[in-house]
Amino acid sequence: MGTNKYVIRGGEEGRERLRLLSEVMGPSTRALLEDVRVADGAACLDVGCGGGDVTFELAQRVGPAGRVIGIDVDEIELEIARRESKQKGLVNISFEARDVCQWEPAERFDVVYSRFLLTHLTNPGHVIEAMHRHARPGGVIALEDIDFRGHFAEPTCPALWKYVEFYTRTVQARGGDPCIGPKLPGLLRKAGFQDIRMKLFHPAALEGGIKLLTCITLEYIAEAVLADGLTSEGELVETIEELRRFSDNPHTILGGPRVFQVWARNGPLTE
Ligand SMILES: C[S@@+](CC[C@H](N)C(=O)[O-])C[C@H]1O[C@@H](n2cnc3c(N)ncnc32)[C@H](O)[C@@H]1O
């Protein structure tokens, strides 16, 4: 798919949303990278890297002897990522504008990583097969993706259910799968990966974090929700305001999507 099918607002504003997303996900993504054992000197690929938060993390882990390439279709996000990598003094990192559905890199990687990309694609199975080709023999793939059915609220919050419905329908209308998380182990097996492992992370909060991210995501899918005729502008504004009020109340709990973290190897260990 190209950027036109990506349901969430990207560019400069999108970068700020991804920064918040990275704050919510940071500890669990770092724990995943520990499990995967990203080695000093490794060559890594971050597919659908966005603003590059995990690309930076990988670059720090592999050190000066290693290197990381982040690819994405959003040129604005990539430009921000290049600027930030310079500010961070990371010299083992590069960002390339590529559509993962139409790209064959000339090299193979020790680690192929992707977070929250496959849920947006019409052909996730083909992309995972491509990732199998991109990983060197014995190399590792690590994926993080969502199951949107995981949302919950205490006490119940009708605006949250509207949000889940709007998000689910807009993503599905563009050929994506908002509940792809639990399908990842099967897709990896089908693509030929071995030694498949899985963990689950469920973001939930009384204040900030996933509460704020949920409100912002609803605002950032507004164009798609209205373009798809899922509701009127008036009802959408009311839903945004109701979700904000619920999220601003520190006595309520909001749980986001379940996040599946799945990793596997391309054949047996070679070293
Ligand atoms: C939800 S964001 C996640 C960004 C990043 N992985 C993170 O976790 O911060 C999904 C990213 O996938 C990118 N994307 C969507 N379709 C793509 C494609 N076909 N090829 C490469 N990137 C794509 C979007 O531009 C967006 O930056």
Side-chain angles (χ1 to χ4, degrees):
M1 60 156 251
T3 29
N4 59 328
K5 282 203 174 176
Y6 187 55
V7 71
I8 309 169
R9 219 178 283 163
E12 297 272 352
E13 282 180 289
R15 178 67 188 107
E16 293 317 308
R17 179 182 165 273
L18 289 182
R19 232 180 270 288
L20 181 58
L21 182 148
S22 281
E23 268 174 50
V24 172
M25 288 301 301
S28 65
T29 293
R30 283 192 284 278
L32 171 66
L33 297 181
E34 287 293 318
D35 288 332
V36 167
R37 294 199 198 98
V38 178
D40 198 34
C44 304
L45 176 66
D46 183 2
V47 186
C49 63
D53 290 311
V54 185
T55 332
F56 302 147
E57 183 74 38
L58 288 166
Q60 272 147 4
R61 278 169 194 260
V62 300
R67 69 208 158 73
V68 188
I69 301 177
I71 67 159
D72 204 284
V73 288
D74 189 329
E75 299 267 9
I76 297 173
E77 300 268 6
L78 290 172
E79 210 30 63
I80 299 170
R82 288 187 193 108
R83 213 164 54 217
E84 281 186 26
S85 70
K86 270 202 196 114
Q87 285 160 0
K88 289 177 190 289
L90 294 167
V91 290
N92 57 350
I93 199 165
S94 63
F95 290 98
E96 298 181 12
R98 310 276 185 193
D99 181 339
V100 66
C101 304
Q102 297 163 16
W103 181 61
E104 277 302 326
E107 58 187 309
R108 288 183 149 206
F109 298 88
D110 300 299
V111 178
V112 177
Y113 171 85
S114 188
R115 185 169 76 182
F116 304 150
L117 164 74
L118 294 161
T119 179
H120 294 290
L121 303 181
T122 48
N123 49 2
H126 288 155
V127 170
I128 291 178
E129 280 165 20
M131 289 171 170
H132 188 253
R133 293 194 298 277
H134 305 341
R136 71 159 176 74
V140 174
I141 183 168
L143 304 174
E144 300 190 79
D145 229 311
I146 51 173
D147 181 354
F148 229 68
R149 295 165 296 190
H151 281 83
F152 67 91
E154 179 58 40
T156 193
C157 173
L160 182 69
W161 303 125
K162 278 191 199 154
Y163 161 72
V164 170
E165 191 204 333
F166 293 158
Y167 185 95
T168 302
R169 289 178 60 186
T170 51
V171 169
Q172 284 173 342
R174 284 155 188 76
D177 181 354
C179 306
I180 197 169
K183 295 175 191 153
L184 294 177
L187 289 170
L188 286 177
R189 204 170 298 118
K190 193 157 172 255
F193 284 99
Q194 298 178 10
D195 195 13
I196 298 166
R197 311 285 171 95
M198 193 197 94
K199 283 198 303 186
L200 194 63
F201 169 60
H202 201 160
L206 287 165
E207 289 182 85
I210 188 67
K211 278 184 149 179
L212 194 51
L213 183 62
T214 304
C215 292
I216 292 176
T217 305
L218 176 55
E219 287 170 32
Y220 281 24
I221 61 169
E223 288 88 358
V225 170
L226 294 176
D228 291 0
L230 299 184
T231 187
S232 65
E233 202 168 340
E235 195 200 1
L236 185 57
V237 169
E238 269 171 35
T239 309
I240 291 171
E241 284 170 1
E242 188 189 328
L243 193 59
R244 274 270 173 204
R245 276 195 300 277
F246 180 89
S247 297
D248 287 346
N249 179 350
H251 298 159
T252 64
I253 303 171
L254 190 151
R258 290 183 277 260
V259 179
F260 283 74
Q261 301 182 307
V262 186
W263 65 107
R265 206 165 277 289
N266 179 3
L269 264 178
T270 50
E271 59 265 42

